[in-house]
Amino acid sequence: MPFFVAAAAVIGVIAGGAGIARAQNDSHENKVNETNFRNSGEDKWKNDRSHIQNEWNTLNGQYGDRAPAVLTGMEPFDTWSHEQIWKALNDHDGGKGVSQADINSGADGWRRLRDRADEAVRVFRTGVD
């Protein structure tokens, strides 16, 4: 009987060692897969990230850390009377004023920005899915 017990113990040690080796191999494979997935994701979005960084650099070079002058010193239209708003838009003091075409052009620009942002979010979501 002692032979069978000893043989069973040896087989158990070998099987246990195989289990440890298999676990180590699985762990290594998981690390390799994780690295491959990470690299694949980075490669997939590398061009988009580069494009966004280039756009940011362009805007930052143009405006730095401050808002464009057109966005600072906004008039408090919500507290002004109709007459004050009309005078401000029509530059009652003899200046150019604001034309309807300028207002429409600005509004169209904001609409295009919104549409492109919506499209970018849609493309991103689709890419993630």
Side-chain angles (χ1 to χ4, degrees):
M1 233 13 154
F3 172 76
F4 293 113
V5 172
V10 169
I11 291 171
V13 169
I14 292 171
I20 292 170
R22 186 171 46 253
Q24 288 173 341
N25 189 36
D26 289 348
S27 177
H28 175 72
E29 286 180 26
N30 288 339
K31 287 178 184 177
V32 168
N33 287 338
E34 180 182 339
T35 300
N36 289 341
F37 286 136
R38 185 180 312 111
N39 291 342
S40 175
E42 287 174 3
D43 288 345
K44 180 154 182 81
W45 297 106
K46 181 172 37 178
N47 292 335
D48 292 323
R49 285 189 183 110
S50 176
H51 179 73
I52 290 167
Q53 187 63 48
N54 289 339
E55 292 297 319
W56 170 253
N57 290 338
T58 299
L59 291 171
N60 196 36
Q62 190 173 7
Y63 298 113
D65 289 332
R66 65 194 194 310
V70 71
L71 296 179
T72 59
M74 301 294 286
E75 296 87 356
F77 283 128
D78 54 344
T79 63
W80 285 6
S81 69
H82 178 74
E83 182 180 2
Q84 287 173 306
I85 294 171
W86 187 87
K87 285 181 178 179
L89 291 174
N90 292 290
D91 201 4
H92 190 67
D93 297 327
K96 177 182 175 226
V98 178
S99 72
Q100 184 177 355
D102 290 341
I103 293 171
N104 288 335
S105 176
D108 288 342
W110 284 108
R111 283 186 205 100
R112 281 191 302 276
L113 178 64
R114 181 207 58 219
D115 292 345
R116 290 178 181 164
D118 287 346
E119 176 64 12
V121 169
R122 188 192 64 73
V123 167
F124 178 77
R125 282 186 181 146
T126 301
V128 171
D129 289 343

